[in-house]
Amino acid sequence: MNVDETDLPGLGRRKDFMTASGRRIGVVEYREGQTELIVSTWDDPDTCQASVPLTADEAATLGNLLGGQRLAMKLSEEHREIPGIVTRQFSISAESPFQNQPMGKACIRTRSGVSIVAIMREGEVLPSPGPDVVLHPGDLLVAVGTQEGLDTAASILRNG
């Protein structure tokens, strides 16, 4: 995929790409630190149809969702022929009892049999996170286990 980068003098930088459907999707990173998601019109890839200002947390969460989805799809593909193994993503919300706590405090593996294989944070992947990794709101945990175990893990992360 070819990502075009364009300097916007006095403003910042635009990074975008052309989708298979002919639309441009990208972000504008302003010098002051703001981020804006942009989408072109159907008939003119140089004309912006929609722009959505994003806070730093929102931009990080969107990056996690998109990156986490790709990682989860790859893991699901690799585990497809292993009966009973499922991959799922869990988002750490601001209401989670484990936000700003070490992951080990949740005892996910012990209590559910589920393995957390990666954490997506601010567009970065933390592979094979250990129990000392602190969970932050917006983190996306990629987990592998049985359906029952994943349901239990979801409940643990929501309710403690």
Side-chain angles (χ1 to χ4, degrees):
M1 180 86 27
N2 186 32
V3 175
D4 296 318
E5 296 188 30
T6 307
D7 283 326
L8 303 172
L11 292 176
R13 190 163 188 80
R14 182 180 80 199
K15 298 177 185 177
D16 58 13
F17 67 96
M18 183 74 74
T19 66
S21 66
R23 292 182 97 167
R24 290 193 90 61
I25 297 178
V27 295
V28 176
E29 297 168 337
Y30 291 96
R31 289 175 41 195
E32 297 82 22
Q34 304 98 321
T35 302
E36 188 173 2
L37 177 68
I38 56 172
V39 180
S40 73
T41 60
W42 284 105
D43 57 344
D44 183 358
D46 293 324
T47 301
C48 185
Q49 178 181 31
S51 65
V52 180
L54 301 171
T55 66
D57 286 342
E58 292 165 343
T61 299
L62 180 59
N64 287 346
L65 290 173
L66 295 172
Q69 180 66 25
R70 187 171 177 203
L71 180 59
M73 285 173 46
K74 184 175 181 189
L75 286 170
S76 292
E77 182 68 26
E78 291 174 1
H79 296 124
R80 184 176 43 171
E81 295 182 23
I82 303 173
I85 297 297
V86 182
T87 302
R88 193 186 298 176
Q89 301 170 52
F90 302 111
S91 182
I92 299 299
S93 71
E95 293 80 34
S96 172
F98 301 106
Q99 60 126 345
N100 300 319
Q101 299 291 320
M103 186 172 68
K105 188 172 181 180
C107 300
I108 297 291
R109 180 118 174 92
T110 303
R111 295 169 66 191
S112 69
V114 166
S115 294
I116 305 299
V117 297
I119 297 175
M120 292 289 302
R121 176 180 293 156
E122 298 178 2
E124 299 290 323
V125 177
L126 303 172
S128 303
D132 57 332
V133 173
V134 175
L135 299 175
H136 300 287
D139 281 357
L140 192 69
L141 281 59
V142 180
V144 176
T146 64
Q147 188 65 50
E148 180 182 337
L150 291 166
D151 292 343
T152 300
S155 177
I156 292 167
L157 290 169
R158 259 192 324 270
N159 307 315

